């Protein structure tokens, strides 16, 4: 099983600041099939980034993804109030086919 | 606009069978894989398994012995059954469409609203 470890567990920042979230895989992610999701309380996750660096439809340009192999990063360039949520990374291609990281909570400082 | 609407029993007793159905509206059903994902209260996400329009399935090995997925293409619906449930199966269950835009399905671009299933005696 490919284990995804996200850091930090909680990130406390202010609106307008830059957020950098990390996701590290226990082995190389196939074809960089690494995605990022945003989840707000009581809602389903929303796809932000797929294939490590491609923005999903309708996602603002302040969200960007980077990385390859085992180390991936989600960057939010300038935090808006609506960005405070929990973020998950997810990989495809291992066994099981899909696994998720444990999440990073982005909270208002 | 693709929409997934799911339903099923929300309260089960230990040893009963969880049964959920997800209907797809506003987009093609064929040519995609459709997944079930669950999230225990206050915890992270766990992929349960997937099915395509032909009925081909892949399950999470940790749940494989208890999971059955099926599809009804005439209604654009797919279903999940999980037998012999215990309190550890208490979670919000989501159905989701896998993004297959480049020929390989590798993430989830549309999600159902989620169904809280509680297992309690």
């Amino acid at each position: 099983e490919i284990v995804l470890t996200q850091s930090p567990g909680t990130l406390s920042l202010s609106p307008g600041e830059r957020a950098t979230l990390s996701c590290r895989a226990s082995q190389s992610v196939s074809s960089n099939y690494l995605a990022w999701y945003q989840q707000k309380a009581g809602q389903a996750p929303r796809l932000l980034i797929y294939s490590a660096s491609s923005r999903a439809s309708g996602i603002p340009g302040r969200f960007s993804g980077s990385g390859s192999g085992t180390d991936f990063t989600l960057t939010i360039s300038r935090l808006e109030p609506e960005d405070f949520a929990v973020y998950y990374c997810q990989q495809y291609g291992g066994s099981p086919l899909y696994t998720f990281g444990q999440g990073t909570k982005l909270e208002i400082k | 606009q693709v929409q997934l609407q799911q339903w099923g029993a929300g309260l089960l007793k230990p040893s009963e069978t969880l049964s959920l159905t997800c209907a797809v509206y506003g987009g093609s059903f064929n040519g995609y894989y459709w997944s079930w994902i669950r999230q225990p209260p206050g915890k992270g996400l766990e992929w349960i398994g997937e099915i395509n329009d032909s009925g081909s399935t892949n399950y999470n090995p940790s749940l494989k012995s208890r999971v059955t997925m099926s599809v009804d293409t005439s209604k654009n619906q797919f279903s999940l059954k999980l037998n012999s449930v215990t309190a550890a199966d208490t979670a919000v269950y989501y159905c989701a469409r896998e993004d297959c835009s480049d020929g390989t399905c590798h993430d989830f671009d549309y999600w159902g609203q989620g169904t809280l299933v509680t297992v309690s005696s």
Side-chain angles (χ1 to χ4, degrees), chain A residues 18-84:
Chain A
R18 180 184 186 91
T20 303
L21 287 66
S22 174
C23 177
R24 178 163 290 178
S26 59
Q27 54 188 284
S28 186
V29 176
S30 170
S31 299
N32 291 329
Y33 285 138
L34 191 288
W36 290 92
Y37 299 84
Q38 176 193 70
Q39 187 178 34
K40 297 180 179 179
Q43 297 183 16
R46 177 174 71 143
L47 177 66
L48 300 174
I49 301 290
Y50 64 94
S51 296
S53 60
S54 297
R55 260 191 310 278
S57 176
I59 301 303
R62 63 181 182 274
F63 290 91
S64 64
S66 62
S68 64
T70 60
D71 289 295
F72 299 89
T73 301
L74 174 70
T75 301
I76 310 172
S77 60
R78 189 175 172 84
L79 286 165
E80 297 288 343
E82 63 267 27
D83 298 336
F84 292 91

Side-chain angles (χ1 to χ4, degrees), chain B residues 22-111:
Chain B
C22 184
V24 180
Y25 301 101
S28 176
F29 188 79
N30 295 343
Y32 289 93
Y33 270 85
W34 305 90
S35 273
W36 290 96
I37 296 157
R38 69 180 183 179
Q39 184 172 36
K43 296 188 177 180
L45 299 157
E46 180 182 33
W47 178 72
I48 300 169
E50 66 177 9
I51 189 167
N52 71 359
D53 55 283
S54 300
S56 178
T57 57
N58 289 293
Y59 299 143
N60 189 322
S62 69
L63 297 167
K64 187 174 183 178
S65 64
R66 298 194 292 130
V67 171
T68 302
M69 293 184 183
S70 59
V71 65
D72 185 342
T73 55
S74 68
K75 297 180 180 179
N76 284 5
Q77 294 178 2
F78 60 106
S79 297
L80 167 71
K81 290 189 186 300
L82 179 67
N83 60 34
S84 304
V85 296
T86 69
D89 295 311
T90 293
V92 175
Y93 286 75
Y94 295 101
C95 58
R97 190 184 83 166
E98 297 181 33
D99 171 19
C100 310
S101 53
D102 63 357
T104 299
C105 305
H106 44 71
D107 46 71
F108 308 102
D109 56 358
Y110 291 96
W111 295 65

